[in-house]
Amino acid sequence: MLNQLSPAPGSVRPAYRKGRGIGSGNGKTAGRGHKGQNARAGGGVRIGFEGGQMPLTRRVPKRGFNNIFAKPLDGVNVSRLDKFEDGAVVDLEALKEARIVKNVKYGIKILGVGGITKKLTVRANAFSATAKEKIEAAGGKAEVV
């Protein structure tokens, strides 16, 4: 029953109270040591700060370009489409039903890895040149949605 659930024995420990007298084993400075920036209230440094030395993120050279507006397509190999029956229409919904893709954010691109033997009508956002050739060679159609 839900009202009888309890954690496994020994898995939950009481809260460790810092700075509550010498008898607690962690009193006075409460594990912060004596003086210094980290001993002060609100003290400490931001993430990546190296004491004024040029930080690693600024020392390492930057290369290339990352397009923040890019809408990457999920790839599906042509060989995975052989799962469908001859003459079937393969689109995003059919691929989800067949559990070939799961969470598609922007669309799918059919890639030319492997072979295909069935005559299918494939509807996708993009096709690689080899994938298109293989689908058409098997007697199917590659339609861009």
PDB file of all heavy atoms in Angstrom, residues 53-94:
ATOM      1  N   GLN A  53      44.218  33.946 -14.175  1.00  0.00           N
ATOM      2  CA  GLN A  53      44.903  33.357 -15.331  1.00  0.00           C
ATOM      3  C   GLN A  53      43.905  33.259 -16.477  1.00  0.00           C
ATOM      4  O   GLN A  53      42.714  33.103 -16.248  1.00  0.00           O
ATOM      5  CB  GLN A  53      45.411  31.964 -14.941  1.00  0.00           C
ATOM      6  CG  GLN A  53      45.977  31.160 -16.095  1.00  0.00           C
ATOM      7  CD  GLN A  53      46.545  29.838 -15.614  1.00  0.00           C
ATOM      8  OE1 GLN A  53      47.484  29.824 -14.842  1.00  0.00           O
ATOM      9  NE2 GLN A  53      45.962  28.736 -16.050  1.00  0.00           N
ATOM     10  N   MET A  54      44.392  33.373 -17.704  1.00  0.00           N
ATOM     11  CA  MET A  54      43.501  33.277 -18.862  1.00  0.00           C
ATOM     12  C   MET A  54      42.820  31.900 -18.837  1.00  0.00           C
ATOM     13  O   MET A  54      43.483  30.869 -18.882  1.00  0.00           O
ATOM     14  CB  MET A  54      44.307  33.427 -20.157  1.00  0.00           C
ATOM     15  CG  MET A  54      43.456  33.509 -21.414  1.00  0.00           C
ATOM     16  SD  MET A  54      42.320  34.893 -21.465  1.00  0.00           S
ATOM     17  CE  MET A  54      43.420  36.279 -21.595  1.00  0.00           C
ATOM     18  N   PRO A  55      41.484  31.861 -18.737  1.00  0.00           N
ATOM     19  CA  PRO A  55      40.781  30.584 -18.592  1.00  0.00           C
ATOM     20  C   PRO A  55      40.948  29.667 -19.807  1.00  0.00           C
ATOM     21  O   PRO A  55      41.170  30.145 -20.925  1.00  0.00           O
ATOM     22  CB  PRO A  55      39.312  30.987 -18.447  1.00  0.00           C
ATOM     23  CG  PRO A  55      39.307  32.439 -18.200  1.00  0.00           C
ATOM     24  CD  PRO A  55      40.568  32.998 -18.738  1.00  0.00           C
ATOM     25  N   LEU A  56      40.819  28.387 -19.560  1.00  0.00           N
ATOM     26  CA  LEU A  56      40.980  27.372 -20.605  1.00  0.00           C
ATOM     27  C   LEU A  56      40.060  27.636 -21.793  1.00  0.00           C
ATOM     28  O   LEU A  56      40.478  27.517 -22.940  1.00  0.00           O
ATOM     29  CB  LEU A  56      40.687  25.983 -20.019  1.00  0.00           C
ATOM     30  CG  LEU A  56      40.867  24.806 -20.986  1.00  0.00           C
ATOM     31  CD1 LEU A  56      42.350  24.623 -21.290  1.00  0.00           C
ATOM     32  CD2 LEU A  56      40.294  23.542 -20.413  1.00  0.00           C
ATOM     33  N   THR A  57      38.819  28.043 -21.509  1.00  0.00           N
ATOM     34  CA  THR A  57      37.866  28.281 -22.601  1.00  0.00           C
ATOM     35  C   THR A  57      38.305  29.408 -23.523  1.00  0.00           C
ATOM     36  O   THR A  57      37.914  29.452 -24.674  1.00  0.00           O
ATOM     37  CB  THR A  57      36.473  28.621 -22.046  1.00  0.00           C
ATOM     38  OG1 THR A  57      36.592  29.673 -21.100  1.00  0.00           O
ATOM     39  CG2 THR A  57      35.827  27.421 -21.405  1.00  0.00           C
ATOM     40  N   ARG A  58      39.129  30.315 -23.016  1.00  0.00           N
ATOM     41  CA  ARG A  58      39.630  31.409 -23.853  1.00  0.00           C
ATOM     42  C   ARG A  58      41.000  31.109 -24.432  1.00  0.00           C
ATOM     43  O   ARG A  58      41.411  31.731 -25.420  1.00  0.00           O
ATOM     44  CB  ARG A  58      39.662  32.711 -23.052  1.00  0.00           C
ATOM     45  CG  ARG A  58      38.254  33.226 -22.749  1.00  0.00           C
ATOM     46  CD  ARG A  58      38.271  34.555 -22.054  1.00  0.00           C
ATOM     47  NE  ARG A  58      38.864  35.586 -22.879  1.00  0.00           N
ATOM     48  CZ  ARG A  58      39.240  36.779 -22.416  1.00  0.00           C
ATOM     49  NH1 ARG A  58      39.083  37.074 -21.136  1.00  0.00           N
ATOM     50  NH2 ARG A  58      39.774  37.675 -23.218  1.00  0.00           N
ATOM     51  N   ARG A  59      41.731  30.162 -23.826  1.00  0.00           N
ATOM     52  CA  ARG A  59      43.064  29.795 -24.335  1.00  0.00           C
ATOM     53  C   ARG A  59      42.983  28.885 -25.549  1.00  0.00           C
ATOM     54  O   ARG A  59      43.841  28.919 -26.421  1.00  0.00           O
ATOM     55  CB  ARG A  59      43.869  29.060 -23.242  1.00  0.00           C
ATOM     56  CG  ARG A  59      44.314  29.916 -22.092  1.00  0.00           C
ATOM     57  CD  ARG A  59      45.441  29.273 -21.303  1.00  0.00           C
ATOM     58  NE  ARG A  59      45.154  27.939 -20.813  1.00  0.00           N
ATOM     59  CZ  ARG A  59      44.667  27.661 -19.619  1.00  0.00           C
ATOM     60  NH1 ARG A  59      44.381  28.644 -18.778  1.00  0.00           N
ATOM     61  NH2 ARG A  59      44.461  26.427 -19.229  1.00  0.00           N
ATOM     62  N   VAL A  60      41.956  28.048 -25.597  1.00  0.00           N
ATOM     63  CA  VAL A  60      41.828  27.060 -26.668  1.00  0.00           C
ATOM     64  C   VAL A  60      41.308  27.753 -27.930  1.00  0.00           C
ATOM     65  O   VAL A  60      40.348  28.522 -27.865  1.00  0.00           O
ATOM     66  CB  VAL A  60      40.859  25.929 -26.229  1.00  0.00           C
ATOM     67  CG1 VAL A  60      40.600  24.953 -27.348  1.00  0.00           C
ATOM     68  CG2 VAL A  60      41.425  25.208 -25.031  1.00  0.00           C
ATOM     69  N   PRO A  61      41.951  27.501 -29.084  1.00  0.00           N
ATOM     70  CA  PRO A  61      41.491  28.165 -30.310  1.00  0.00           C
ATOM     71  C   PRO A  61      40.111  27.673 -30.747  1.00  0.00           C
ATOM     72  O   PRO A  61      39.757  26.517 -30.538  1.00  0.00           O
ATOM     73  CB  PRO A  61      42.559  27.776 -31.346  1.00  0.00           C
ATOM     74  CG  PRO A  61      43.177  26.544 -30.808  1.00  0.00           C
ATOM     75  CD  PRO A  61      43.093  26.634 -29.320  1.00  0.00           C
ATOM     76  N   LYS A  62      39.363  28.579 -31.313  1.00  0.00           N
ATOM     77  CA  LYS A  62      38.020  28.243 -31.794  1.00  0.00           C
ATOM     78  C   LYS A  62      38.089  28.038 -33.300  1.00  0.00           C
ATOM     79  O   LYS A  62      38.783  28.774 -34.009  1.00  0.00           O
ATOM     80  CB  LYS A  62      37.038  29.381 -31.483  1.00  0.00           C
ATOM     81  CG  LYS A  62      37.010  29.811 -30.014  1.00  0.00           C
ATOM     82  CD  LYS A  62      36.409  28.731 -29.150  1.00  0.00           C
ATOM     83  CE  LYS A  62      36.334  29.144 -27.706  1.00  0.00           C
ATOM     84  NZ  LYS A  62      37.560  29.001 -26.960  1.00  0.00           N
ATOM     85  N   ARG A  63      37.336  27.055 -33.791  1.00  0.00           N
ATOM     86  CA  ARG A  63      37.320  26.802 -35.236  1.00  0.00           C
ATOM     87  C   ARG A  63      35.901  26.512 -35.683  1.00  0.00           C
ATOM     88  O   ARG A  63      35.094  25.993 -34.925  1.00  0.00           O
ATOM     89  CB  ARG A  63      38.193  25.592 -35.588  1.00  0.00           C
ATOM     90  CG  ARG A  63      39.652  25.957 -35.764  1.00  0.00           C
ATOM     91  CD  ARG A  63      40.454  24.819 -36.341  1.00  0.00           C
ATOM     92  NE  ARG A  63      39.955  24.346 -37.619  1.00  0.00           N
ATOM     93  CZ  ARG A  63      40.201  24.933 -38.789  1.00  0.00           C
ATOM     94  NH1 ARG A  63      40.902  26.032 -38.840  1.00  0.00           N
ATOM     95  NH2 ARG A  63      39.735  24.408 -39.902  1.00  0.00           N
ATOM     96  N   GLY A  64      35.627  26.835 -36.930  1.00  0.00           N
ATOM     97  CA  GLY A  64      34.365  26.447 -37.531  1.00  0.00           C
ATOM     98  C   GLY A  64      33.219  27.356 -37.157  1.00  0.00           C
ATOM     99  O   GLY A  64      33.397  28.433 -36.590  1.00  0.00           O
ATOM    100  N   PHE A  65      32.035  26.874 -37.458  1.00  0.00           N
ATOM    101  CA  PHE A  65      30.827  27.663 -37.293  1.00  0.00           C
ATOM    102  C   PHE A  65      29.713  26.733 -36.881  1.00  0.00           C
ATOM    103  O   PHE A  65      29.562  25.645 -37.434  1.00  0.00           O
ATOM    104  CB  PHE A  65      30.486  28.341 -38.632  1.00  0.00           C
ATOM    105  CG  PHE A  65      29.135  28.991 -38.660  1.00  0.00           C
ATOM    106  CD1 PHE A  65      28.906  30.177 -37.989  1.00  0.00           C
ATOM    107  CD2 PHE A  65      28.094  28.415 -39.364  1.00  0.00           C
ATOM    108  CE1 PHE A  65      27.667  30.780 -38.022  1.00  0.00           C
ATOM    109  CE2 PHE A  65      26.845  29.013 -39.397  1.00  0.00           C
ATOM    110  CZ  PHE A  65      26.633  30.199 -38.732  1.00  0.00           C
ATOM    111  N   ASN A  66      28.937  27.137 -35.892  1.00  0.00           N
ATOM    112  CA  ASN A  66      27.812  26.329 -35.452  1.00  0.00           C
ATOM    113  C   ASN A  66      26.537  27.124 -35.686  1.00  0.00           C
ATOM    114  O   ASN A  66      26.278  28.108 -34.995  1.00  0.00           O
ATOM    115  CB  ASN A  66      27.971  25.976 -33.969  1.00  0.00           C
ATOM    116  CG  ASN A  66      26.891  25.046 -33.491  1.00  0.00           C
ATOM    117  OD1 ASN A  66      26.291  24.324 -34.294  1.00  0.00           O
ATOM    118  ND2 ASN A  66      26.612  25.071 -32.211  1.00  0.00           N
ATOM    119  N   ASN A  67      25.762  26.709 -36.668  1.00  0.00           N
ATOM    120  CA  ASN A  67      24.543  27.415 -37.026  1.00  0.00           C
ATOM    121  C   ASN A  67      23.467  27.128 -35.989  1.00  0.00           C
ATOM    122  O   ASN A  67      22.962  26.010 -35.901  1.00  0.00           O
ATOM    123  CB  ASN A  67      24.077  26.980 -38.418  1.00  0.00           C
ATOM    124  CG  ASN A  67      22.877  27.760 -38.881  1.00  0.00           C
ATOM    125  OD1 ASN A  67      22.394  28.649 -38.195  1.00  0.00           O
ATOM    126  ND2 ASN A  67      22.395  27.431 -40.062  1.00  0.00           N
ATOM    127  N   ILE A  68      23.094  28.144 -35.226  1.00  0.00           N
ATOM    128  CA  ILE A  68      22.104  27.952 -34.165  1.00  0.00           C
ATOM    129  C   ILE A  68      20.690  27.823 -34.720  1.00  0.00           C
ATOM    130  O   ILE A  68      19.769  27.450 -34.021  1.00  0.00           O
ATOM    131  CB  ILE A  68      22.169  29.074 -33.104  1.00  0.00           C
ATOM    132  CG1 ILE A  68      21.925  30.434 -33.740  1.00  0.00           C
ATOM    133  CG2 ILE A  68      23.478  29.025 -32.339  1.00  0.00           C
ATOM    134  CD1 ILE A  68      21.635  31.545 -32.748  1.00  0.00           C
ATOM    135  N   PHE A  69      20.512  28.153 -35.994  1.00  0.00           N
ATOM    136  CA  PHE A  69      19.190  28.054 -36.621  1.00  0.00           C
ATOM    137  C   PHE A  69      19.030  26.764 -37.431  1.00  0.00           C
ATOM    138  O   PHE A  69      18.001  26.551 -38.052  1.00  0.00           O
ATOM    139  CB  PHE A  69      18.933  29.260 -37.531  1.00  0.00           C
ATOM    140  CG  PHE A  69      19.021  30.563 -36.799  1.00  0.00           C
ATOM    141  CD1 PHE A  69      20.089  31.421 -36.993  1.00  0.00           C
ATOM    142  CD2 PHE A  69      18.045  30.932 -35.883  1.00  0.00           C
ATOM    143  CE1 PHE A  69      20.180  32.619 -36.311  1.00  0.00           C
ATOM    144  CE2 PHE A  69      18.133  32.131 -35.187  1.00  0.00           C
ATOM    145  CZ  PHE A  69      19.192  32.978 -35.404  1.00  0.00           C
ATOM    146  N   ALA A  70      20.051  25.907 -37.426  1.00  0.00           N
ATOM    147  CA  ALA A  70      20.010  24.671 -38.212  1.00  0.00           C
ATOM    148  C   ALA A  70      18.889  23.760 -37.718  1.00  0.00           C
ATOM    149  O   ALA A  70      18.599  23.705 -36.520  1.00  0.00           O
ATOM    150  CB  ALA A  70      21.343  23.948 -38.111  1.00  0.00           C
ATOM    151  N   LYS A  71      18.263  23.069 -38.649  1.00  0.00           N
ATOM    152  CA  LYS A  71      17.208  22.119 -38.304  1.00  0.00           C
ATOM    153  C   LYS A  71      17.656  20.739 -38.790  1.00  0.00           C
ATOM    154  O   LYS A  71      17.299  20.326 -39.897  1.00  0.00           O
ATOM    155  CB  LYS A  71      15.881  22.538 -38.938  1.00  0.00           C
ATOM    156  CG  LYS A  71      15.352  23.826 -38.322  1.00  0.00           C
ATOM    157  CD  LYS A  71      14.013  24.204 -38.865  1.00  0.00           C
ATOM    158  CE  LYS A  71      13.312  25.275 -38.075  1.00  0.00           C
ATOM    159  NZ  LYS A  71      14.091  26.384 -37.635  1.00  0.00           N
ATOM    160  N   PRO A  72      18.457  20.027 -37.978  1.00  0.00           N
ATOM    161  CA  PRO A  72      19.023  18.754 -38.432  1.00  0.00           C
ATOM    162  C   PRO A  72      17.956  17.677 -38.609  1.00  0.00           C
ATOM    163  O   PRO A  72      17.071  17.520 -37.780  1.00  0.00           O
ATOM    164  CB  PRO A  72      20.001  18.382 -37.321  1.00  0.00           C
ATOM    165  CG  PRO A  72      19.554  19.150 -36.128  1.00  0.00           C
ATOM    166  CD  PRO A  72      18.861  20.380 -36.629  1.00  0.00           C
ATOM    167  N   LEU A  73      18.068  16.943 -39.708  1.00  0.00           N
ATOM    168  CA  LEU A  73      17.133  15.869 -40.015  1.00  0.00           C
ATOM    169  C   LEU A  73      17.653  14.557 -39.432  1.00  0.00           C
ATOM    170  O   LEU A  73      18.860  14.343 -39.351  1.00  0.00           O
ATOM    171  CB  LEU A  73      16.968  15.727 -41.524  1.00  0.00           C
ATOM    172  CG  LEU A  73      16.435  16.955 -42.272  1.00  0.00           C
ATOM    173  CD1 LEU A  73      16.467  16.711 -43.770  1.00  0.00           C
ATOM    174  CD2 LEU A  73      15.041  17.313 -41.835  1.00  0.00           C
ATOM    175  N   ASP A  74      16.751  13.674 -39.046  1.00  0.00           N
ATOM    176  CA  ASP A  74      17.125  12.352 -38.538  1.00  0.00           C
ATOM    177  C   ASP A  74      17.325  11.417 -39.724  1.00  0.00           C
ATOM    178  O   ASP A  74      16.476  11.362 -40.619  1.00  0.00           O
ATOM    179  CB  ASP A  74      16.031  11.795 -37.621  1.00  0.00           C
ATOM    180  CG  ASP A  74      15.911  12.572 -36.322  1.00  0.00           C
ATOM    181  OD1 ASP A  74      16.276  13.754 -36.322  1.00  0.00           O
ATOM    182  OD2 ASP A  74      15.458  11.996 -35.317  1.00  0.00           O
ATOM    183  N   GLY A  75      18.426  10.679 -39.729  1.00  0.00           N
ATOM    184  CA  GLY A  75      18.734   9.783 -40.842  1.00  0.00           C
ATOM    185  C   GLY A  75      18.129   8.396 -40.669  1.00  0.00           C
ATOM    186  O   GLY A  75      18.089   7.863 -39.571  1.00  0.00           O
ATOM    187  N   VAL A  76      17.624   7.844 -41.777  1.00  0.00           N
ATOM    188  CA  VAL A  76      17.109   6.467 -41.795  1.00  0.00           C
ATOM    189  C   VAL A  76      17.729   5.782 -43.007  1.00  0.00           C
ATOM    190  O   VAL A  76      17.612   6.280 -44.129  1.00  0.00           O
ATOM    191  CB  VAL A  76      15.560   6.440 -41.901  1.00  0.00           C
ATOM    192  CG1 VAL A  76      15.067   5.011 -42.035  1.00  0.00           C
ATOM    193  CG2 VAL A  76      14.924   7.102 -40.706  1.00  0.00           C
ATOM    194  N   ASN A  77      18.381   4.652 -42.781  1.00  0.00           N
ATOM    195  CA  ASN A  77      19.023   3.930 -43.874  1.00  0.00           C
ATOM    196  C   ASN A  77      17.995   3.182 -44.723  1.00  0.00           C
ATOM    197  O   ASN A  77      16.989   2.697 -44.212  1.00  0.00           O
ATOM    198  CB  ASN A  77      20.064   2.942 -43.336  1.00  0.00           C
ATOM    199  CG  ASN A  77      21.283   3.658 -42.804  1.00  0.00           C
ATOM    200  OD1 ASN A  77      21.699   4.676 -43.343  1.00  0.00           O
ATOM    201  ND2 ASN A  77      21.846   3.141 -41.736  1.00  0.00           N
ATOM    202  N   VAL A  78      18.297   3.105 -46.020  1.00  0.00           N
ATOM    203  CA  VAL A  78      17.415   2.452 -46.989  1.00  0.00           C
ATOM    204  C   VAL A  78      17.150   0.993 -46.616  1.00  0.00           C
ATOM    205  O   VAL A  78      16.046   0.471 -46.818  1.00  0.00           O
ATOM    206  CB  VAL A  78      18.041   2.629 -48.397  1.00  0.00           C
ATOM    207  CG1 VAL A  78      18.192   1.348 -49.150  1.00  0.00           C
ATOM    208  CG2 VAL A  78      17.251   3.627 -49.204  1.00  0.00           C
ATOM    209  N   SER A  79      18.137   0.324 -46.016  1.00  0.00           N
ATOM    210  CA  SER A  79      17.990  -1.087 -45.644  1.00  0.00           C
ATOM    211  C   SER A  79      16.893  -1.300 -44.600  1.00  0.00           C
ATOM    212  O   SER A  79      16.277  -2.364 -44.549  1.00  0.00           O
ATOM    213  CB  SER A  79      19.317  -1.639 -45.132  1.00  0.00           C
ATOM    214  OG  SER A  79      19.755  -0.873 -44.032  1.00  0.00           O
ATOM    215  N   ARG A  80      16.621  -0.285 -43.774  1.00  0.00           N
ATOM    216  CA  ARG A  80      15.586  -0.397 -42.742  1.00  0.00           C
ATOM    217  C   ARG A  80      14.185  -0.414 -43.354  1.00  0.00           C
ATOM    218  O   ARG A  80      13.229  -0.838 -42.722  1.00  0.00           O
ATOM    219  CB  ARG A  80      15.665   0.772 -41.743  1.00  0.00           C
ATOM    220  CG  ARG A  80      16.984   0.991 -41.055  1.00  0.00           C
ATOM    221  CD  ARG A  80      17.270   0.040 -39.908  1.00  0.00           C
ATOM    222  NE  ARG A  80      16.263  -0.062 -38.881  1.00  0.00           N
ATOM    223  CZ  ARG A  80      16.159   0.689 -37.812  1.00  0.00           C
ATOM    224  NH1 ARG A  80      17.010   1.679 -37.609  1.00  0.00           N
ATOM    225  NH2 ARG A  80      15.221   0.472 -36.916  1.00  0.00           N
ATOM    226  N   LEU A  81      14.054   0.070 -44.599  1.00  0.00           N
ATOM    227  CA  LEU A  81      12.747   0.162 -45.252  1.00  0.00           C
ATOM    228  C   LEU A  81      12.266  -1.185 -45.790  1.00  0.00           C
ATOM    229  O   LEU A  81      11.109  -1.324 -46.169  1.00  0.00           O
ATOM    230  CB  LEU A  81      12.783   1.191 -46.383  1.00  0.00           C
ATOM    231  CG  LEU A  81      13.224   2.607 -45.998  1.00  0.00           C
ATOM    232  CD1 LEU A  81      13.220   3.506 -47.216  1.00  0.00           C
ATOM    233  CD2 LEU A  81      12.345   3.184 -44.905  1.00  0.00           C
ATOM    234  N   ASP A  82      13.162  -2.176 -45.847  1.00  0.00           N
ATOM    235  CA  ASP A  82      12.784  -3.515 -46.330  1.00  0.00           C
ATOM    236  C   ASP A  82      11.793  -4.203 -45.389  1.00  0.00           C
ATOM    237  O   ASP A  82      11.217  -5.217 -45.731  1.00  0.00           O
ATOM    238  CB  ASP A  82      14.043  -4.384 -46.497  1.00  0.00           C
ATOM    239  CG  ASP A  82      14.260  -4.762 -47.954  1.00  0.00           C
ATOM    240  OD1 ASP A  82      13.508  -4.266 -48.813  1.00  0.00           O
ATOM    241  OD2 ASP A  82      15.174  -5.553 -48.229  1.00  0.00           O
ATOM    242  N   LYS A  83      11.599  -3.628 -44.227  1.00  0.00           N
ATOM    243  CA  LYS A  83      10.661  -4.136 -43.227  1.00  0.00           C
ATOM    244  C   LYS A  83       9.213  -4.036 -43.723  1.00  0.00           C
ATOM    245  O   LYS A  83       8.359  -4.825 -43.335  1.00  0.00           O
ATOM    246  CB  LYS A  83      10.836  -3.282 -41.961  1.00  0.00           C
ATOM    247  CG  LYS A  83      10.224  -3.804 -40.718  1.00  0.00           C
ATOM    248  CD  LYS A  83      10.582  -2.892 -39.554  1.00  0.00           C
ATOM    249  CE  LYS A  83      10.311  -3.580 -38.230  1.00  0.00           C
ATOM    250  NZ  LYS A  83      10.680  -2.753 -37.090  1.00  0.00           N
ATOM    251  N   PHE A  84       8.948  -3.057 -44.589  1.00  0.00           N
ATOM    252  CA  PHE A  84       7.585  -2.803 -45.070  1.00  0.00           C
ATOM    253  C   PHE A  84       7.201  -3.754 -46.198  1.00  0.00           C
ATOM    254  O   PHE A  84       8.064  -4.299 -46.883  1.00  0.00           O
ATOM    255  CB  PHE A  84       7.462  -1.349 -45.545  1.00  0.00           C
ATOM    256  CG  PHE A  84       7.634  -0.352 -44.442  1.00  0.00           C
ATOM    257  CD1 PHE A  84       8.873   0.241 -44.212  1.00  0.00           C
ATOM    258  CD2 PHE A  84       6.576  -0.020 -43.618  1.00  0.00           C
ATOM    259  CE1 PHE A  84       9.048   1.154 -43.188  1.00  0.00           C
ATOM    260  CE2 PHE A  84       6.736   0.900 -42.586  1.00  0.00           C
ATOM    261  CZ  PHE A  84       7.969   1.481 -42.373  1.00  0.00           C
ATOM    262  N   GLU A  85       5.883  -3.912 -46.404  1.00  0.00           N
ATOM    263  CA  GLU A  85       5.387  -4.808 -47.450  1.00  0.00           C
ATOM    264  C   GLU A  85       5.475  -4.135 -48.811  1.00  0.00           C
ATOM    265  O   GLU A  85       5.493  -2.918 -48.915  1.00  0.00           O
ATOM    266  CB  GLU A  85       3.936  -5.203 -47.141  1.00  0.00           C
ATOM    267  CG  GLU A  85       3.838  -6.131 -45.939  1.00  0.00           C
ATOM    268  CD  GLU A  85       2.404  -6.461 -45.567  1.00  0.00           C
ATOM    269  OE1 GLU A  85       1.531  -6.372 -46.449  1.00  0.00           O
ATOM    270  OE2 GLU A  85       2.174  -6.799 -44.399  1.00  0.00           O
ATOM    271  N   ASP A  86       5.505  -4.961 -49.850  1.00  0.00           N
ATOM    272  CA  ASP A  86       5.582  -4.464 -51.228  1.00  0.00           C
ATOM    273  C   ASP A  86       4.422  -3.513 -51.522  1.00  0.00           C
ATOM    274  O   ASP A  86       3.271  -3.806 -51.190  1.00  0.00           O
ATOM    275  CB  ASP A  86       5.546  -5.650 -52.202  1.00  0.00           C
ATOM    276  CG  ASP A  86       6.657  -5.545 -53.227  1.00  0.00           C
ATOM    277  OD1 ASP A  86       7.343  -4.509 -53.240  1.00  0.00           O
ATOM    278  OD2 ASP A  86       6.825  -6.493 -54.017  1.00  0.00           O
ATOM    279  N   GLY A  87       4.724  -2.379 -52.140  1.00  0.00           N
ATOM    280  CA  GLY A  87       3.681  -1.426 -52.534  1.00  0.00           C
ATOM    281  C   GLY A  87       3.232  -0.497 -51.423  1.00  0.00           C
ATOM    282  O   GLY A  87       2.317   0.308 -51.622  1.00  0.00           O
ATOM    283  N   ALA A  88       3.846  -0.554 -50.264  1.00  0.00           N
ATOM    284  CA  ALA A  88       3.442   0.285 -49.129  1.00  0.00           C
ATOM    285  C   ALA A  88       3.906   1.724 -49.326  1.00  0.00           C
ATOM    286  O   ALA A  88       4.879   1.988 -50.031  1.00  0.00           O
ATOM    287  CB  ALA A  88       4.019  -0.266 -47.841  1.00  0.00           C
ATOM    288  N   VAL A  89       3.173   2.637 -48.693  1.00  0.00           N
ATOM    289  CA  VAL A  89       3.576   4.046 -48.673  1.00  0.00           C
ATOM    290  C   VAL A  89       4.276   4.287 -47.337  1.00  0.00           C
ATOM    291  O   VAL A  89       3.682   4.113 -46.274  1.00  0.00           O
ATOM    292  CB  VAL A  89       2.351   4.979 -48.824  1.00  0.00           C
ATOM    293  CG1 VAL A  89       2.771   6.432 -48.693  1.00  0.00           C
ATOM    294  CG2 VAL A  89       1.667   4.733 -50.156  1.00  0.00           C
ATOM    295  N   VAL A  90       5.547   4.667 -47.417  1.00  0.00           N
ATOM    296  CA  VAL A  90       6.355   4.855 -46.216  1.00  0.00           C
ATOM    297  C   VAL A  90       6.525   6.349 -45.962  1.00  0.00           C
ATOM    298  O   VAL A  90       7.155   7.055 -46.748  1.00  0.00           O
ATOM    299  CB  VAL A  90       7.736   4.173 -46.351  1.00  0.00           C
ATOM    300  CG1 VAL A  90       8.564   4.386 -45.099  1.00  0.00           C
ATOM    301  CG2 VAL A  90       7.581   2.701 -46.644  1.00  0.00           C
ATOM    302  N   ASP A  91       5.911   6.826 -44.868  1.00  0.00           N
ATOM    303  CA  ASP A  91       6.087   8.212 -44.457  1.00  0.00           C
ATOM    304  C   ASP A  91       6.475   8.239 -42.982  1.00  0.00           C
ATOM    305  O   ASP A  91       6.741   7.186 -42.390  1.00  0.00           O
ATOM    306  CB  ASP A  91       4.818   9.034 -44.728  1.00  0.00           C
ATOM    307  CG  ASP A  91       3.583   8.460 -44.048  1.00  0.00           C
ATOM    308  OD1 ASP A  91       3.715   7.420 -43.362  1.00  0.00           O
ATOM    309  OD2 ASP A  91       2.489   9.036 -44.187  1.00  0.00           O
ATOM    310  N   LEU A  92       6.495   9.435 -42.400  1.00  0.00           N
ATOM    311  CA  LEU A  92       6.917   9.566 -41.008  1.00  0.00           C
ATOM    312  C   LEU A  92       6.046   8.751 -40.057  1.00  0.00           C
ATOM    313  O   LEU A  92       6.558   8.073 -39.163  1.00  0.00           O
ATOM    314  CB  LEU A  92       6.905  11.046 -40.587  1.00  0.00           C
ATOM    315  CG  LEU A  92       7.377  11.364 -39.180  1.00  0.00           C
ATOM    316  CD1 LEU A  92       8.802  10.885 -38.942  1.00  0.00           C
ATOM    317  CD2 LEU A  92       7.281  12.843 -38.897  1.00  0.00           C
ATOM    318  N   GLU A  93       4.736   8.773 -40.282  1.00  0.00           N
ATOM    319  CA  GLU A  93       3.820   8.023 -39.414  1.00  0.00           C
ATOM    320  C   GLU A  93       4.074   6.517 -39.499  1.00  0.00           C
ATOM    321  O   GLU A  93       4.068   5.813 -38.499  1.00  0.00           O
ATOM    322  CB  GLU A  93       2.361   8.336 -39.772  1.00  0.00           C
ATOM    323  CG  GLU A  93       1.958   9.771 -39.488  1.00  0.00           C
ATOM    324  CD  GLU A  93       2.270  10.225 -38.069  1.00  0.00           C
ATOM    325  OE1 GLU A  93       1.922   9.504 -37.118  1.00  0.00           O
ATOM    326  OE2 GLU A  93       2.878  11.302 -37.920  1.00  0.00           O
ATOM    327  N   ALA A  94       4.300   6.024 -40.727  1.00  0.00           N
ATOM    328  CA  ALA A  94       4.575   4.596 -40.926  1.00  0.00           C
ATOM    329  C   ALA A  94       5.884   4.191 -40.249  1.00  0.00           C
ATOM    330  O   ALA A  94       5.981   3.115 -39.660  1.00  0.00           O
ATOM    331  CB  ALA A  94       4.632   4.278 -42.408  1.00  0.00           C
TER     332      ALA A  94
END
